[in-house]
Amino acid sequence: MDGNVVKVDPNKKTILHFIVTTGCTSCAASEAKLTKFANNPNVNLVSIAIDPQNDTKETTKEFMKIAKANWPYTIDKDQLLIRKFNVTSIDTVVIVYQNKIIFSGVNPSPAELEKLLI
């Protein structure tokens, strides 16, 4: 969000959570579920705000506080990530491992994610 590049280790499983930071109650609930994986040393976690007209640095930082998130956030201003990962719904979670998508789904349960992240 502040112009820094978010780098992830391709040998770790990376959770990408596609959200909107204004008006999406399920996105906030999903972020709360993801905190369980935030300190896992074998997992990268990145949240991606996908509504550049409404997701600003300010709304995203406020969203981070509400979600108690301590991982990187970015705003997909040009929708490159949406296209790259074929995201068609808010609250989509994509898990990438060794440069391959191993999961893509909307609002998955913590148990479902845990199976994939072990």
Side-chain angles (χ1 to χ4, degrees), residues 1-4 57 61 73:
M1 279 190 332
D2 294 320
N4 298 324
K57 284 184 185 179
K61 286 180 180 181
Y73 276 64

Side-chain angles (χ1 to χ4, degrees), residues 26 62 69-70 92 102 107:
S26 71
E62 183 63 27
N70 62 349
T92 294
I102 62 170
N107 194 10

Side-chain angles (χ1 to χ4, degrees), residues 8-16 18 42-45 48 84-85 93-104 116-117:
V8 295
D9 182 344
N11 295 312
K12 294 182 179 183
K13 293 179 180 174
T14 299
I15 301 171
L16 303 174
F18 292 85
N42 298 312
V43 174
N44 300 303
L45 181 56
I48 302 161
K84 179 176 181 167
F85 294 103
V93 172
V94 175
I95 300 177
V96 179
Y97 181 55
Q98 297 181 336
N99 298 315
K100 294 183 178 124
I101 296 172
I102 62 170
F103 174 84
S104 181
L116 294 161
L117 297 171

